[in-house]
Amino acid sequence: MTDNIKNNPFTALFASVNQPEVFAPEMTDSGSASKSTIQGEHSKSPTEEVEPVEKELKERLEINQIVEDVFQLTLNKQPRPPMKGSLPSCHLVLLEELASALAPQNLIDIQTLEPALFERLMLTEPANHVLPINGRSSPVGGEHAVQRDVLIYLFECFRRLSERLDTDFGDVPKNSHQNIRAGRLSQMVTIVLQNASTALRQPDLFPGQRLDSQLLRLFAESHSPELRSFVNGIVVVFPKEEEGEADELQAAFVPVLNLAQNEISRGGLSALDRSVYDLLHVFALNDRLAPVLLACSTPANPNRGRDYANTILGAILSPSTIPESPEVPYAFFDQRTTLGQGSIRAEEEVAWTALGAVREGAARIFESLLRHPGEIRHRTLTWLASCLDANAPRGRIWNSLHGPGALGPGPAAHSCASDGFALNLCAVLLRLCQPFVHEHTHPRLMRIDPTYYAATLRSVNSGNSSAVDEERKKRGIHLNITGEETCLIPPLPSLSEGSSGAESRSGVARPQAENYTFLTECFFMTHKAIDLGFRVAHERLLRISQDLGRMRRVYHEVRAQSEMGGIGGSNPGEAEEAIVERVRIGTTEVLCLRTAMVQPQTLSLMAQMHVATSMWLVQVALCDIDGEAKKRTRDTGYAPGVCRDVFFPLPSGPPAAEDGAAIPPLLSCVPEQVVENVAGFLSFCRRFSRHTLEECGGSGGLDPLLTVILVFMGAPERIRNPHLRAGLAESLEALLPPSHRGAAEESPDEVSSIPGFNRERLFLEHPHRLQVVESLLHVFVGIEMTGQSVTFEQKFNYRRPMYFIMDYLWQIEEHKNSFKRLAAEVEANQESVSPPLFLRFVNLLMNDAVFLLDDALSNMAQLRQMQSARESGEWQDLPRSEREQNEGNFQRIGMIARFDNILGRETIHTLKFLTSEITSIFSHPTMVDRIASMLNYFLYHLVGPKKKNFKVKDLAEYEFKPASIVLDICQIYTHLGSSDAFCLAVSQDGRSYSPQLFSLAEDVLLRIGGGGLIVELQNVGARVAKCASQQRSQEELLSEAPDDFLDPIMSTLMLDPVVLPSSRTVVDRSTIARHLLSDQTDPFNRSPLTLDMVKPADELRCRIEAWIKERKREKNMEEDSRPGCSSKDDDGKMSTS
């Protein structure tokens, strides 16, 4: 026994190196002394000795009983019966070597517990040393007695001791005896923890055991609240810092963390081991284990985003429905078997539950790390910021344009973390923000400083990384701010010399605070995570969904070819199978990506975040209007502080400073991504989660969303980027009730089941609701007037939701009156320097209608020709490459035709409801000819002899609805038919008008259910015919006008000629006014031009008027010379010759 002790590292448990060797003799002497005392062999009288002896014996028996109950150890081959009030008899492990060394002592006390526990832990097969009680084969507590795993056994001992302490004594022992007993139990706890600590520090003592696995197993199998105390207790007895704490702790616990990381990676979301998150949470809570956790989270390459996912903190963010890399198969929504909606919903619920556990568990870990003061918090924030910075390539355009898959083969797919990781990180940060964003009126929200992205590190140019790190920690600037981030408005030029950092590089003067709070950092980190995670995933989800739509259309084409027997040797059957497989994979990707994004708790948190962000953005804008930046300093910071009331119309800029210096706007410090995130979330809800906004809309919860749209959407002085303002207009559609026409057309089944009370209330009760129409028209016009190239598909995405919004607003009387008020302003300011807003809007409407419908009809005619050629077999004999090229062109033209048809139809529909109550603008000389020729042209093509040219298969696939367009066009005719100017303009259109046009339209109206319009249309036709007769006479009268009387653009007789100042060209006022609605330049030399710059050509006008008068006089004289002709006398009265 003595030799074993000398050779064993557990001697470290004793006070000195020699103590284990002398322990047995001392115990023997102690035993003899005890025996003598019991037998009364001392010199004191029996009366004096009886009471202390009995007390000592009772105490030793109690301790022994506790050891038997808790540790299930004994030195006695014939254990005593349990004391009164103790646990039932159980299996006990006989410690033979220690019993032999201590004989005749057979009780285990505090002094003998250390070697007793030492011997027990060294037993390789405890079951071989168990003493059965009463011959029972499976006595109570047998599993614990024979437990081989060291940490499992020690934790059970710890749990039983802790339970006794809590049960017997509570918080405070009641008397001295209990105080002594509680002290003995605490000593036992310390002995247990010391043994556990030694085992972790020296795992080689137990070659057949995996101590790291045992610790994980404890968390997996036991949900005891004592687990955290057990781990914390182990750490407490570790050597202190001066004795090599960091190395000891890391050596002991790094294997545990490595195993935990492997368990998470191996299990994934489908086999998630939630106990690992409980273990890591205990690490995060402990101020000595937290640094170990952070040390294990250092990526191999800090500049490579994917390497963060390969750390322990990254591992807890990785489990998702989305695979970690393109090579990993999807574990959810296997489309190889047909899944019904019920099965998909059930699998969604399972995935949401698991995702909720991942995100909640990870959030608890990060929150616990951030609750530590000083270095631990700094290192945690550094990890989060560095992870976001390293994954910045995820958000770049060149990455999002690559790859159809959820990860795709884009440049960032293998260097950045996955979509699942990014979405989980986003969810964790949203939970960290929750305390100050759960209510949009929370006062802490107003403490967020908007100048964070203008901050510069003074030590960044020193080359001293330690100094930079220290400044980041002190000032609260952990994100890598380059000064190149695009902000809402450009910064002002620098007013002072000697600027440093980002200011000197970009030549700007922006305010910045000396220090930033955790609230500010958490807010901006969360928005960066949303930008890199949610936004990128949303764009990818849209792209995959569009690809699926195209593949389904191709599938139907291939099926049609298959029914025709194939084309040119191709095998439609194989092509059909390939498309079905691609659709299967794409559907799985869509379901997995969408499930990760719409997890209910995360979506609710995101809604709260964006409502709060909207409130904060409006307050920052109001600070700019009040010139608040001038009143603050670096030390006070620039947070809004308090909520200010919003009043419209808002001033366009801050008040001038007393010294005349410009005040740097706070919005020049706010990155565009903050507003993009709000707009993107609303658009996402419109497409994929319509119910989310309704659920968070109670008690005015949606009001800040509409307010921020009204403050920023139509204000280029607050958002310079026109595309971002157009994005806000698109997101406005998400706030419409689900019953509006656009939503009903997209998904009628879903819309019918979603309530819309809170969103209806927005447009009926919001205090600033009457600003919606004007703001919307500003952005509609702004898209065209940016001076930047806007692709057709971009314009399509921007304009289409605006049409739906206007259609909805027109149905509400007070919003309809807003349209009419803007129209009335046009009549009062028709020829102002800057064309009125509504006039520019109507001009663009007609421009779009002409372009879109003309292009749509042209594309439909091409599609018909291509379909005929393919079906007749003309493509069969073509070379394969040419045949594939034709197929590609067919798909491309079909897609463009679909866009044209949708947007063209919506444009005509908008003109229809506007003209129902606003007519004077459309009859004005600058507009009437255009709208008349447009209506004539499209009506002729849709009802005339060429209408069959546009008849193709699957009209619905291309969204071609000629009946709907014809009905709307005929209604516009009836709305404007009471205007003589309009009827005259219709009759003057020599390209498309003929007396038969309205008769052709009547025949079509009868077939498409528009019979109710026929009588009104006939009346319009009659008025047009009358005007046409008068016009023919007028044309005969004014024919052969001199060239200098003709407008050089329209080749028509000028009635109000004006001189353009730079080119000196003479044109008719109506012609140049119409041109300036779209382009404020001279059409002959592109010089800047406004209507107030043109000069009347009075001399030419007088000559034209004289010429017209002379032509009329000659005409009258000619008519007078005819017998029986009536003519006008000088007084204008009719007379007969």
Side-chain angles (χ1 to χ4, degrees), residues 813-996:
E813 195 62 32
E814 60 180 352
H815 293 295
K816 181 190 293 186
N817 290 335
S818 294
F819 282 103
K820 294 163 75 172
R821 175 181 56 80
L822 292 171
E825 291 178 6
V826 173
E827 296 180 24
N829 303 280
Q830 189 96 36
E831 297 181 359
S832 61
V833 174
S834 178
L837 173 64
F838 197 78
L839 187 61
R840 286 181 286 157
F841 163 65
V842 170
N843 177 65
L844 290 175
L845 268 185
M846 290 193 287
N847 285 350
D848 282 358
V850 170
F851 171 78
L852 291 165
L853 287 180
D854 193 29
D855 206 37
L857 295 180
S858 174
N859 286 324
M860 295 304 293
Q862 286 188 65
L863 287 174
R864 176 179 171 81
Q865 292 175 1
M866 297 177 80
Q867 280 185 348
S868 299
R870 186 170 64 177
E871 292 172 3
S872 66
E874 290 182 22
W875 290 6
Q876 292 184 11
D877 299 328
L878 295 174
R880 181 172 180 176
S881 60
E882 192 172 342
R883 190 170 64 247
E884 290 177 351
Q885 183 179 3
N886 286 347
E887 286 289 348
N889 287 336
F890 183 78
Q891 296 297 329
R892 180 182 59 81
I893 292 173
M895 182 183 70
I896 296 174
R898 187 171 184 272
F899 286 162
D900 287 338
N901 285 326
I902 292 173
L903 199 54
R905 188 173 67 247
E906 291 301 328
T907 307
I908 292 295
H909 179 77
T910 303
L911 286 170
K912 182 203 75 172
F913 68 70
L914 288 176
T915 56
S916 66
E917 298 200 27
I918 300 172
T919 59
S920 59
I921 293 176
F922 299 96
S923 301
H924 190 273
T926 59
M927 292 289 177
V928 69
D929 290 337
R930 295 178 60 211
I931 193 166
S933 60
M934 177 192 77
L935 295 174
N936 289 345
Y937 178 80
F938 293 121
L939 187 62
Y940 172 74
H941 280 81
L942 292 172
V943 303
K946 296 182 179 181
K947 63 179 181 291
K948 293 184 179 180
N949 293 347
F950 316 117
K951 189 174 182 180
V952 299
K953 287 187 175 181
D954 301 321
L955 287 177
E957 180 181 341
Y958 303 108
E959 290 286 345
F960 186 50
K961 301 177 181 179
S964 173
I965 298 174
V966 168
L967 283 171
D968 283 348
I969 288 177
C970 289
Q971 284 185 292
I972 296 173
Y973 275 114
T974 62
H975 293 160
L976 301 178
S978 60
S979 167
D980 290 340
F982 173 74
C983 292
L984 180 60
V986 170
S987 68
Q988 287 178 326
D989 177 25
R991 182 177 63 162
S992 303
Y993 174 74
S994 69
Q996 296 78 31

Side-chain angles (χ1 to χ4, degrees), residues 715-732:
E717 68 274 14
R718 284 184 274 277
I719 294 184
R720 182 63 55 87
N721 186 346
H723 302 283
L724 184 51
R725 284 185 278 117
L728 282 174
E730 180 188 359
S731 66
L732 181 60

Side-chain angles (χ1 to χ4, degrees), residues 120-126 129 148:
R120 165 63 181 82
L121 295 177
M122 296 303 296
L123 296 176
T124 55
E125 290 293 343
H129 303 271
R148 297 177 57 191

Side-chain angles (χ1 to χ4, degrees), residues 9 71 115 240 347 374 450 471 635 655 710 805 812 936 1051 1073 1132:
F71 297 89
K240 297 300 179 184
E347 200 160 353
E471 186 179 358
D635 293 329
L710 295 177
I805 297 166
I812 301 173
N936 289 345
S1051 298

